[in-house]
Amino acid sequence: MTHRLRFFERFRQTIASIIHLPLSAVGLYAERKTPRDQYALTVRAPNGEFEATLHRLGFVRNFVSSLKRREYDAPPEVSVASWVWYPDNALFSTHQLHVALYVGPNGETTDVYAHWEPSWIRHPIRHYRAREVDNSKGVQRIREILSDAGVEYVEKPADERFPSADERR
């Protein structure tokens, strides 16, 4: 299922990159930085395999999400996918769990970043303003969901998730 959606993900990334600059001229955005405190965990599975797990757990791919980039010094990269989970289904949930996925340095792991925010379906303006984002609740919630489902993960400090500047050369 998820490999069929890869085209749409690349399309979303291209469009967001193109429209971000004109939007930022009027105080809007199509790209956002993913802050350090949204790091939740690292799964020892390639991105596509982990996306299939998210799908089985009731997450849906979020194609309307802004493009995400890690906030801190890391190899320049964009999230490979954006997924959301609604506690009371999409139409009735006032909030959503949003996760952004980044490919680990060896391609065999997936770094997961998460935050809790107003649902973009029920509260589109509150969602877009991003003033009610709760990073710690999002991190806690994704860890709970994966633990309850028996998905193994590790919590790695940033220096273990990224190669050093010498290793990148």
Side-chain angles (χ1 to χ4, degrees):
M1 152 93 175
T2 59
H3 68 282
R4 288 186 230 139
L5 300 176
R6 193 68 57 209
F7 166 80
F8 295 107
E9 187 64 37
R10 276 186 246 132
F11 180 75
R12 180 183 76 87
Q13 290 174 353
T14 301
I15 294 301
S17 293
I18 292 169
I19 67 172
H20 180 69
L21 188 59
L23 285 177
S24 63
V26 294
L28 302 174
Y29 64 88
E31 293 184 13
R32 302 233 16 164
K33 295 203 183 224
T34 303
R36 280 182 183 265
D37 62 347
Q38 285 187 10
Y39 170 76
L41 53 99
T42 298
V43 177
R44 291 184 184 124
N47 177 62
E49 186 179 313
F50 182 62
E51 287 186 88
T53 299
L54 289 176
H55 180 70
R56 280 194 315 275
L57 295 175
F59 283 77
V60 293
R61 194 180 274 271
N62 185 3
F63 289 112
V64 298
S65 171
S66 61
L67 197 57
K68 306 287 189 284
R69 298 180 186 277
R70 294 194 216 222
E71 180 178 64
Y72 41 95
D73 186 26
E77 66 179 314
V78 173
S79 61
V80 291
S82 177
W83 288 77
V84 292
W85 177 83
Y86 302 97
D88 299 317
N89 96 31
L91 294 178
F92 299 110
S93 294
T94 60
H95 286 76
Q96 65 186 29
L97 172 62
H98 183 184
V99 297
L101 308 180
Y102 293 87
V103 175
N106 61 6
E108 294 300 312
T109 61
T110 303
D111 292 337
V112 180
Y113 289 72
H115 59 270
W116 186 255
E117 63 189 344
S119 166
W120 75 270
I121 295 170
R122 295 282 309 270
H123 305 289
I125 295 170
R126 285 175 52 202
H127 175 87
Y128 189 78
R129 289 183 178 155
R131 295 185 188 137
E132 301 172 48
V133 173
D134 187 334
N135 296 341
S136 61
K137 185 171 183 174
V139 168
Q140 176 187 4
R141 193 67 185 115
I142 187 64
R143 288 176 181 169
E144 289 170 356
I145 290 170
L146 295 181
S147 291
D148 291 349
V151 176
E152 293 184 22
Y153 62 85
V154 294
E155 298 168 31
K156 291 179 157 182
D159 61 338
E160 292 179 26
R161 291 193 310 271
F162 306 114
S164 68
D166 293 335
E167 293 172 314
R168 282 185 258 158
R169 290 186 196 152

